[in-house]
Amino acid sequence: MAYEYQTADPVLYPLLLEFAQHNRNNPTEAESLLWEYLRGRALGVTFKRQHIIGEYIADFVCLPHKLIVELDGRHHQLPQQQANDAQRTEWLESKGYRVIRFTNEEVFGNINKVLETIEENLYVWTKV
């Protein structure tokens, strides 16, 4: 039985898996902090980190609620990266996911607001 999220390109999958495993083993400080609050069903749901969906690796995803949480460092402010992020979000949303983004500064500066926003978004998305 194939699951909805098993859409990775079989040619790219080995490379993506290696990259995802590297990212899981070497998280950014912001990812480490947020993971401490998301792990172990802390919000009542299970999140996976560095999870492959299509040709993308989501920082955090709650598969049952189809919610992806992305953390953006400074390089996401560059125009080309913003265009790439928009294309990525469009593709993921076309597959029924909701994508929410936070800057690293938001995670460090107001983790409670970040968690509140994540909780609010767990239950609002339904793709028709």
Side-chain angles (χ1 to χ4, degrees):
M1 173 177 160
Y3 295 97
E4 266 182 55
Y5 59 86
Q6 292 176 324
T7 59
D9 180 328
V11 175
L12 293 176
Y13 187 78
L15 179 61
L16 290 171
L17 180 61
E18 183 179 327
F19 191 60
Q21 288 171 334
H22 173 79
N23 289 347
R24 240 180 263 127
N25 293 330
N26 301 284
T28 66
E29 287 182 55
E31 289 170 343
S32 289
L33 177 59
L34 184 55
W35 183 240
E36 288 302 314
Y37 288 91
L38 297 179
R39 70 186 321 170
R41 298 181 56 87
L43 297 182
V45 296
T46 300
F47 276 88
K48 295 181 177 290
R49 61 189 177 114
Q50 299 300 320
H51 187 78
I52 300 168
I53 302 172
E55 62 183 56
Y56 302 107
I57 301 172
D59 289 336
F60 303 96
V61 62
C62 176
L63 292 168
H65 292 269
K66 297 190 93 167
L67 178 65
I68 294 172
V69 178
E70 291 291 314
L71 298 186
D72 294 343
R74 286 201 174 116
H75 75 280
H76 287 271
Q77 296 172 7
L78 299 171
Q80 184 57 50
Q81 188 59 48
Q82 288 179 341
N84 292 345
D85 288 344
Q87 180 180 14
R88 168 190 173 112
T89 297
E90 183 179 332
W91 186 87
L92 290 164
E93 287 181 349
S94 78
K95 301 300 179 197
Y97 290 90
R98 173 135 174 103
V99 179
I100 57 175
R101 295 181 171 280
F102 301 98
T103 64
N104 291 348
E105 290 76 19
E106 288 174 297
V107 171
F108 294 129
N110 197 346
I111 190 69
N112 290 329
K113 177 65 175 162
V114 168
L115 294 170
E116 181 182 304
T117 302
I118 291 170
E119 284 183 300
E120 289 169 358
N121 278 275
L122 280 170
Y123 302 101
V124 298
W125 183 263
T126 44
K127 188 76 170 178
V128 183

